[in-house]
Structure formats: structure tokens, C-alpha cells
Amino acid sequence: MPYRLSDRHFVVAALAGVIVLLGWLLPNAYFLRIATLVWIFALATLGLTVLIGQAGQVSLGQAGFFGIGAYSAAILPTHFGVSPLVTPFVGAFISGALAFVVGRPILRLKGHYLAIATLGLGFLISMVLTNEAGWTGGPDGMQVQRPVVFGVNLRQPAAWYWISAVSLLIGGWLVLNLDGTTTGRAFRALRDSEVAASVMGIDVSRMKLRAFVLAAIYASCAGSLLGLSNGFVTPDQSSFLQSVEMVTMSVLGGVHSVVGAIVGSAMLVLLPQMLTVMQDYETLVLGAIVVVVMIFLPGGVVPAIAALTRRRTR
Amino acid sequence: MAELLQYLATGITIGAVYALVALGFTLIYNCSGIVNFAQGEFVMIGGMVTVALTAYGLPLEAAAAGAVAVAIMVGIAIYVFAVAPAGRASPVTIIIITIGVSIFLRGCAQILFGKQFHGLKPFLTEEPVMIMGAAVQSQAFLVIGGMAAASLVFWLMLERTLVGKALLATAANRLAAQLVGIDLRRIMLIAFGGSAAIGAIAGILVTPITLTSYDVGTMLALKGFAAAMLGGMGSPLGAVAGGLLLGLAEALAAGYLSSAYKDAIAFLATFAVLLLAPNGLLGRRSINRV
């Protein structure tokens, strides 16, 4: 029986295989760092897979929650003496709570209006992080204390490779399982037709809010991981361009697909690294690649490959 | 009093630029349903090309005309090479395409013009004009006048010419417009070209005040987008009103509240308006069809 990309056990097993293989094969700390970045951005993008791909709601402010996660990891140990290990959870709670409070009015808006509102929210968070220099170190950013586990200071790239990879596996597993639940089905109904969904008795605004909060928590956890693994955070991580990059990652890979989120993140993390040999032409080539991929594969890379293999096996 | 006047003058000037960007958004959105995030890059192109051409020794008028021509060509190229080939892709995909285009254009500008800031001399005089104690740069009058003239031309074109009527018809109902024999491709080319020209004019006029660099487009696209939303997406009058309001809110906030948070206040104001009027100030009520 040929495996299908949509089979969730297959996806998780394959992802785990790739993670173990890379962790074993990658030759040095530099490559481990890059792979860690791919896992972290994939985790943040998974939030958008739920919000945009499943529930059909656009967000251009995802990096705001990413920034909250990153700065929770930086601020809480420095100013409040909280252990760095618990900061991702506190950050996720703060992001989730914020998303819950502001989500209700924002999510009443639709389409482009929703886009501008989420954009504004992300912008606001970014501005607070940039301007409240007493707490956040201002535009220059601030140091993050590394957690110490059993007397070992977690600073090796390998340690963060495994931590972020396992977080991604858990995050991906949850999103894959969401598909079959009542909530997952409600999300899809809502994406296809809000009116039809509400006629079927789905509490539309509650479901939208649930997707929004979930996406915020994913972004926040990813942000905390980035802060802890880098040992440093800057307000750039919450910027509008970062939000755009995340949406691009999810759409480039395939907005409905978990594998798509990972492939899209890998593309946008790896491309700039590979393009640095082209120096000045880096930005130009990156833009051109995004345009060309989206024109020829409007559904994203992964669905296109999946369709191709399906045709082959038939 | 002088202080308030000063803020108002600044607000209207910068608001005029936002209004022009928002007008560009509206033109393309109405004809195609596309939000073109590369809109801010036209402003950058307008300023940059004018600076480059005057550096070659061209007179200002010729350089400005050249810049508008370059912007129009870029606008048409965006439609022909990036938007049209995408066909009926989803709105999010098309937004990502236009974002890709704006990254691409920024990359081009970085190679051609470098990363530093470029400026132009004020077109009339360096001396500020004093109005009741407030010093207003002479260039500000050109920006505001340019905005008013561009909006008027835009409106006259829509109301009085056959092409304008075709644009309005396309905006109202694309299928019906095609059925009465309107060449949709031509309309799109006019929309993208016109929208680029409006952006470039804004860029040329404002460069002596704000300077320009390869990356000014992002922020302007954001503000223009917010202005278009504030006024109500799709309404040209709303775009102008939204732009001016946004500029004023920003200048007053910077003056009386906090200059660090002026951008935040502009977005908060937009946000507040959207909560009260989900379709913007002058936007059409959307009707949900089942």
C-alpha cells in the first residue's frame, strides 16, 4: 500500500526520521543552528496552518506573539528571577491571554480588514518592545539567560537542536490530530462558509477565537525557543516583516499542510543562507523566487509534490 | 496656537502622501480585487529615479517625467509578469506574490542606488513660509497641491472619460463589464499603470521633505493600506479622507503624546474606527450572499 502524505502517522514518523538523521549527519554547530532555526520557524508557522489553513482567518501580526514569547524568555529571568525553564509556558500563557482578550473584537472583521487589524496589533507589540528600553533593552535587544538543567548549562547547539525538534514534533502531532476533532471540523466548516457553519450550529466567533489563541500560543512557544537558543533577543523578531515572512512560509509550503509549514520554513531559512554567496543580489533573488514559486505553484510546494506523486502511483 | 498649526501642517503634508498611496491601492483593488503590497515601492521608485536622473544633469521636470514613466513601466510589468500569470489563485497567494514583488524591487533599488539616504533640493525655495507663527516648508504646499490635483484628475477621469466609465463598470461587476465588451486586460494595465503613476508623483514631491532610501516602500505601503481601510476599501474619496486623517492623527500624537508611539497611535485610531464601522468610514456595506 503506498503511503500518502496526508496519513498522519506516516507524517510524524517521517518527520522523526528526518530529525534523527539530520541530528546524526549534520557535521558541525553551524548546520545544527540552521536546522534549529528551521524547526523553530516551522513551529511558529504551524500556528498559521491552523489559523489560515484550517480556519481561514488571515493574520499579519503573528510575529507580535513570537516577540512576546522571545521577550518572556529574556525579561522574566532578568527582572523577576523566574527560572528560564518555565518562561516558554509563562510566555505562552501571556500570548494566549492577550489573543483571547483582543481576539474577540478583532475577529469580527473580515478579509483585508482583519489583515490590517492583526497587522496593527503586531505593530503595537513591536513598538512596546522597541520603546520600553528599561525593560527590553530597546532597539539593541537584550541577553537571555540559559537554563541550567541538572547542573548543565544548556548552551550547546546540539541541545537546542533536539529541544526544538521535539517541540516541533509535538506541535505537528497536535495539529495533525486536530483535523479529526469536532473543533478541527468546525474550523474547516468556518473556512468554507461562515454562514453555512453558523446555520449548522457552530459558534463561529468562539471557533475563530480558539484558532487565533492557538496560533498565538504556537508563535509564542517558538519565540521563546528562539530567544533561549540564541541567547539574545531583538525587537526585529516581532516586526511586521517577520510576520510577513511567517505568512510567506506557510503559503509557500502549502497553507493547509503540516509538512508544508515545515518545507516553507526550511525554504525561507535556507535560501538567504545559500544566497549570501550572491551578496548584493540576495534580496532580489529571494523576491524573485517567492514570486515564481507562487505563480507556478499557487497552492504551495508540498500540495504540488503530493499531487505529482499521486499521479505517478496511479 | 502656532504649535497646533505646525502639527496640523505636518499632518496634512504627510497625510497627503498616505492619501496618494491609498488612492493607488483603491484603483487596483476596485478593478481586480487585489491588494497590491508593492504599492509603496512606486513611491520609492518615483523619488529614487528623480534623484538619479537629476544627478546625471537632467532638469528637474525631465527627471520627474522620467521617474513617472519608469514607475508606469514597472507597474505594467508587475501586472504582466507577476499578477496576470497567477490567474485565479487565492487572495492570500496573490498578496504573497505582490509582497515578493516588493522584496524584488527593494533588492533592485539596493543594487542600483545603494543603501544610503538620497535627497532632493526643495523645488521652489529653501525658505519656509510663516503662517501665524508656524513655519511651513514651501515643499509642503506642493505635496498638498499635488495630492489635490492628482485626486481631481483621478475623479475627472473616472467620471468624464470612457476609460473611467469602463474602470467603474469593472469595479462594479467584472463579469458584466466583460459581457458589454470591456477589455479586462486593458483595464488592468491602465489600473496598474495609473496606480504606479500616482505613487511615483507622491514620491517625487515628498522626497525633498522626508528623503528617500531603497526601503521606504514598506512603511508607506502599510500606512497607505491602513488609510485605505480607514476610509473604506474601494472608495476613492475614503482613501483621500483616510490618508489625511491618518497623517493628522500621527502628527498630533507625535506632538502632544509621544513621538516614539506615533505609529502605534495611527494604527490604534484605525483600529478604533474599524471596530465602530467594520467597513471603514465611507466603505460600502458588504452584503453576504449565501
Side-chain angles (χ1 to χ4, degrees):
Chain A
M1 190 191 94
Y3 285 112
R4 284 177 307 140
L5 274 174
S6 54
D7 182 352
R8 62 177 199 267
H9 301 290
F10 173 68
V11 170
V12 170
L15 182 59
V18 170
I19 287 169
V20 171
L21 208 61
L22 280 180
W24 183 47
L25 284 179
L26 287 177
N28 56 34
Y30 170 75
F31 287 102
L32 279 176
R33 285 274 321 130
I34 305 272
T36 308
L37 284 180
V38 173
W39 306 145
I40 289 175
F41 279 103
L43 186 64
T45 306
L46 275 181
L48 290 181
T49 305
V50 174
L51 186 65
I52 304 180
Q54 298 192 342
Q57 308 297 310
V58 179
S59 169
L60 289 179
Q62 187 76 346
F65 298 111
F66 193 66
I68 291 182
Y71 274 88
S72 299
I75 293 174
L76 293 174
T78 310
H79 293 286
F80 300 99
V82 177
S83 158
L85 275 181
V86 296
T87 54
F89 303 101
V90 182
F93 178 78
I94 297 172
S95 294
L98 179 67
F100 184 78
V101 173
V102 295
R104 202 164 274 279
I106 282 184
L107 290 163
R108 276 176 37 210
L109 303 169
K110 293 193 176 75
H112 295 121
Y113 293 97
L114 178 63
I116 196 76
T118 51
L119 192 162
L121 176 66
F123 214 84
L124 237 62
I125 296 172
S126 176
M127 296 216 86
V128 172
L129 294 178
T130 312
N131 289 323
E132 298 305 316
W135 290 97
T136 64
D140 299 331
M142 70 187 287
Q143 294 277 345
V144 181
Q145 290 175 25
R146 308 298 180 104
V148 177
V149 183
F150 302 122
V152 182
N153 192 336
L154 284 183
R155 50 167 65 250
Q156 299 82 2
W160 289 106
Y161 175 88
W162 294 110
I163 294 172
S164 59
V166 170
S167 311
L168 175 65
L169 263 182
I170 298 170
W173 173 249
L174 290 176
V175 173
L176 285 167
N177 277 307
L178 194 63
D179 248 357
T181 65
T182 322
T183 305
R185 277 197 292 268
F187 284 169
R188 264 175 296 152
L190 163 70
R191 177 189 73 201
D192 293 340
S193 165
E194 238 174 78
V195 180
S198 68
V199 170
M200 308 264 280
I202 293 169
D203 186 342
V204 170
S205 61
R206 199 161 126 221
M207 283 301 155
K208 282 185 185 175
L209 193 62
R210 207 175 270 182
F212 192 63
V213 170
L214 210 61
I217 291 175
Y218 267 86
S220 180
C221 289
S224 296
L225 281 173
L226 186 72
L228 289 169
S229 68
N230 274 349
F232 201 79
V233 291
T234 67
D236 286 345
Q237 277 139 18
S238 61
S239 69
F240 167 66
L241 287 177
Q242 185 73 74
S243 293
V244 166
E245 206 176 308
M246 285 176 188
V247 177
T248 310
M249 283 170 174
S250 83
V251 177
L252 211 55
V255 71
H256 306 302
S257 131
V258 168
V259 182
I262 299 167
V263 170
S265 309
M267 285 174 75
L268 279 203
V269 171
L270 296 180
L271 271 178
Q273 300 290 339
M274 295 195 273
L275 293 175
T276 42
V277 286
M278 313 182 82
Q279 290 181 356
D280 295 343
Y281 293 86
E282 185 191 328
T283 323
L284 187 154
V285 175
L286 185 67
I289 290 176
V290 169
V291 174
V292 170
V293 170
M294 291 314 344
I295 288 174
F296 291 107
L297 309 172
V301 175
V302 171
I305 294 174
L308 206 69
T309 52
R310 216 171 297 144
R311 217 174 298 148
R312 283 276 160 76
T313 50
R314 198 168 280 167
Chain B
M1 190 61 202
E3 204 181 51
L4 177 65
L5 266 178
Q6 188 81 57
Y7 298 148
L8 290 179
T10 315
I12 292 177
T13 311
I14 195 68
V17 177
Y18 297 160
L20 285 175
V21 179
L23 215 52
F25 267 119
T26 308
L27 183 54
I28 290 181
Y29 177 79
N30 271 350
C31 298
S32 60
I34 292 170
V35 172
N36 172 30
F37 269 94
Q39 196 69 37
E41 309 308 323
F42 297 138
V43 182
M44 182 270 289
I45 290 172
M48 281 293 198
V49 175
T50 311
V51 171
L53 290 180
T54 46
Y56 277 121
L58 249 65
L60 183 65
E61 293 80 3
V68 173
V70 170
I72 292 177
M73 282 190 283
V74 172
I76 288 175
I78 291 178
Y79 177 71
V80 173
F81 295 114
V83 174
R88 290 175 181 277
S90 75
V92 184
T93 301
I94 294 194
I95 286 181
I96 299 290
I97 288 179
T98 62
I99 288 173
V101 167
S102 82
I103 296 174
F104 175 77
L105 290 175
R106 229 176 296 147
C108 291
Q110 191 187 324
I111 293 165
L112 291 172
F113 309 111
K115 284 191 173 184
Q116 70 275 34
F117 277 94
H118 296 274
L120 281 172
K121 273 211 189 109
F123 299 167
L124 300 172
T125 157
E126 308 257 353
E127 289 292 305
V129 181
M130 301 302 288
I131 305 172
M132 298 167 69
V136 181
Q137 295 178 46
S138 61
Q139 190 69 27
F141 292 101
L142 285 183
V143 175
I144 298 164
M147 190 274 288
S151 314
L152 193 69
V153 170
F154 186 83
W155 179 78
L156 283 176
M157 193 189 86
L158 283 186
E159 295 290 322
R160 296 289 151 84
T161 67
L162 204 58
V163 173
K165 295 235 159 81
L167 279 171
L168 285 176
T170 313
N173 187 332
R174 232 179 303 171
L175 186 63
Q178 262 178 311
L179 286 176
V180 295
I182 291 170
D183 181 356
L184 210 58
R185 192 177 161 79
R186 214 174 116 233
I187 292 298
M188 294 299 185
L189 289 176
I190 292 169
F192 273 84
S195 167
I198 296 173
I201 290 170
I204 295 164
L205 291 174
V206 83
T207 298
I209 301 179
T210 59
L211 304 182
T212 187
S213 78
Y214 77 102
D215 61 352
V216 292
T218 315
M219 202 57 189
L220 282 168
L222 282 190
K223 295 288 179 61
F225 185 38
M229 291 292 146
L230 182 62
M233 199 71 193
S235 147
L237 194 64
V240 174
L244 290 175
L245 272 177
L246 197 65
L248 281 174
E250 215 177 282
L252 291 175
Y256 290 112
L257 297 168
S258 147
S259 62
Y261 282 102
K262 74 177 165 77
D263 294 322
I265 287 155
F267 277 109
L268 269 181
T270 309
F271 193 57
V273 170
L274 283 185
L275 290 187
L276 296 173
N279 294 305
L281 290 173
L282 300 169
R284 275 171 296 186
R285 279 230 156 262
S286 64
I287 297 162
N288 250 337
R289 219 180 273 176
V290 185

